Amino acid sequence: MRTTEDTLHHVEFGRGVPVLMVHGFTVDHRLMLPLESAFTDRSGWRRVYVDLPGSGRSPRLPAPVTADRTAAALMTFIDEVIGREPFAIVGISFGGQLVRHVVAELGAQVMGMCLLAPVVAPVGRRELPARQVLDRDDELLAALDPADRAVFSDIAVWQTAAGWAAFRDHVLPGLRAHHRDDARELAAAYMLSATPETRFTTHDGPHLLVTGRQDHMVGWRDQLALLEHYPRMTYAVLDGCGHNVHLDQPEQVNALLRSWLDALEAESAVDRALRAGR
């Protein structure tokens, strides 16, 4: 594991082709760490988990804090830490909006993109399913700290011991670490000024989009509009998943992620063979 002090805080695992992991709103890179399971027994990938500005251990942005300025900070980070080599990228929720911006900015340098429950439409214009709780342990909830119980109950579809353990380990640390004033400011300018897909026609390469059937925060229907811009995108809507799809159904999400990595590796092998034959 490596860290760098002079840029956005991040941690890295492995060596090889970079794959950048971008978390969502008011959390930090720890939300993404369960995805490490997809890289078990797989070499050749340098996983870079970043804390966005004002999150985790990263420095704050100067005011004003907006989606556009957060995206610009992420682009600077990519330039500093990844440079001009090809890389893959994964984004969840608000991070899913940011990684689409990266695709619009860098084009073919991005080998492929994985979106987990990405933000597509602004609040108030989203097509959302009804709120559902699939299982609830009232005794567990009663034993939690009231503040923790409130944030957990607000998002979790599995309000059980297993659901709480995943939330406690991967969501709650970031919720406690983010800068709340910055979050309030960002919430008022949460959407990018230009939808990324309006800046290009299509982006080739293997892409993956996973949403939750019970995601009452960003939904799963609005994301269908992305498919026309990514002709090789696999789209899965998983039952038994709320907004944190990879925590609710980790085996299914990691299986899809492994298949996506297989496709990226195959694509790279074809490219190398074609270049060698020139």
Side-chain angles (χ1 to χ4, degrees), residues 121-128 222:
V123 173
R125 292 173 51 192
R126 298 172 183 172
E127 191 171 356
L128 302 175
D222 296 325

Side-chain angles (χ1 to χ4, degrees), residues 24 66 74 120 138 177 229 271:
T66 67
L74 182 61
V120 173
D138 289 320
H229 300 284
D271 286 345

